[in-house]
Amino acid sequence: GDHRPPLVRPCLFRIAKAVMKTIRCAIYTRKSSEEGLEQDFNSLDAQHEACAAFILSQSSEGWSQRTDRYDDGGRSGGSRERPGLKRLLEDVAAQRIDIVVVYKVDRLTRSLLDFARLVEAFDTAGTSFVSVTQSFNTTTSMGRLTLNMLLSFAQFEREVTAERIRDKIAASKARGLWMGGSPPIGYRPSGRSLEIVPQEAELVCNIFTRYLSLGSARAVAEALDRDGIKTPRRTSGTGRAYGGRAFSRGNIHAILTNPVYIGRIRHKDKDYPGTHDPIIDPEMWDAVKSQRFEHVQGMRGSSSNILDPSLLVGLIRDAAGEPLVATHASRPGKHGTKRRYRYYVSRTLQHGGDARRNPGWRIPAREIEALVIAELAKL
């Protein structure tokens, strides 16, 4: 029995409490969707309240809650690109946190690989984490095994959900429904379908017509640029403005190959009859498709014997800012064979432009490519 005087016992208790180490606890909460976050008391608040009550129940052990909140609303557990998690890891690395408290383990992450990296970061900083609804201790091997098993099932659930969503999108597109994303030029979203924007539809028809007369996407892009025609200005669902720039060859190619303009919806390598109205008639679509095929075949035929690829095509320009195009010359070699020499030539020289305005460049391809590769290797 304790034979010390009664007045001494509370004094000893206060002394022990004073020397007890304070364990700093941080609460992390996460919700995958943004639904309900606008409410005064949402899912994040419910998780935080449960974790705070758990920390309070451990106050006799020295647990103390940090005032900083680490919340991630509308963030997936399959990625570590979360603002709240990043701030939490920064404070863990700075050794400001002793224990991370979560409502459930899958609130921290649903990826087994990410979990292993997080545990490694926690161990490095001497930090543990606790799940309020699941009793785990990451300092023991059995606790790690149990957590790994739980996260394996969480990752399996996430992958099955992703597969179910992909199957739903595929089935909806097979029915001709528009399943979201940035609408193509000429259309605006209208429920699960698309509605024609007249002014943009005229631009699409103009691009198809110009391609039939000019014969290449690059020539169409240059003609539109000369006429001052830009991509339509738009605003995304998040409020970000985009568009208003010159058409690139890629923009033109995307328009010419998108079956949405003949009233079809594409899904991977297939397309299905859509519920929206077409902008281009089938005759013009077939004519453009045939001309694109002939153009591609012609390019393949002219380059089928070239063994060395021109690495800097589309990346290199002369002093006047004009693109250099790849070309070659063949000269007789030994034993009757021909030797091929590759060059980069200013478009002015290649296409008979005004040499007085821009005398142009003619650069040996192998030398300039070797120089660029050497500089990249230094970086």
Side-chain angles (χ1 to χ4, degrees), residues 65 75 127 174 201 277 303 364 374:
Q65 178 185 335
R75 301 285 179 171
T127 301
D277 295 327
S303 60

Side-chain angles (χ1 to χ4, degrees), residues 340-362:
R340 189 183 299 273
Y341 296 88
R342 295 186 300 113
Y343 299 92
Y344 289 102
V345 182
S346 296
R347 194 189 303 168
T348 297
L349 299 179
Q350 186 73 1
H351 298 292
D354 186 358
R356 292 173 298 178
R357 182 183 64 84
N358 180 18
W361 288 358
R362 184 181 180 86

Side-chain angles (χ1 to χ4, degrees), residues 130-292:
V130 171
S131 170
V132 171
T133 58
Q134 300 147 330
S135 181
F136 295 118
N137 184 357
T138 60
T139 61
T140 66
S141 58
M142 182 58 68
R144 290 175 185 272
L145 174 62
T146 308
L147 278 171
N148 282 335
M149 293 173 61
L150 180 67
L151 283 167
S152 294
F153 281 104
Q155 182 169 339
F156 171 74
E157 180 188 2
R158 181 169 60 89
E159 292 174 355
V160 168
T161 302
E163 290 177 0
R164 189 164 60 246
I165 292 173
R166 286 194 294 268
D167 292 343
K168 179 182 178 181
I169 291 175
S172 299
K173 287 190 173 184
R175 294 171 56 193
L177 301 180
W178 173 253
M179 294 305 293
S182 298
I185 295 174
Y187 290 100
R188 68 167 65 96
S190 178
R192 285 300 180 189
S193 187
L194 293 170
E195 180 183 342
I196 293 178
V197 180
Q199 186 175 357
E200 295 183 9
E202 291 179 7
L203 174 58
V204 172
C205 293
N206 186 358
I207 290 173
F208 273 81
T209 304
R210 291 195 188 218
Y211 182 80
L212 289 177
S213 61
L214 299 176
S216 72
R218 183 189 296 276
V220 174
E222 292 173 351
L224 293 174
D225 189 35
R226 285 194 301 269
D227 294 343
I229 300 176
K230 309 293 184 182
T231 59
R233 292 185 177 274
R234 292 182 168 184
T235 303
S236 67
T238 59
R240 181 180 64 88
Y242 63 97
R245 297 184 178 182
F247 279 92
S248 67
R249 183 176 60 177
N251 295 141
I252 302 300
H253 182 267
I255 291 173
L256 296 176
T257 58
N258 195 342
V260 73
Y261 295 115
I262 55 171
R264 301 184 69 84
I265 293 292
R266 175 189 291 160
H267 181 65
K268 295 184 177 180
D269 57 345
K270 297 181 180 180
D271 56 79
Y272 306 94
T275 59
H276 61 282
D277 295 327
I279 293 177
I280 302 298
D281 58 74
E283 292 77 14
M284 176 176 285
W285 174 265
D286 291 339
V288 168
K289 184 177 180 179
S290 176
Q291 185 162 308
R292 283 193 300 104

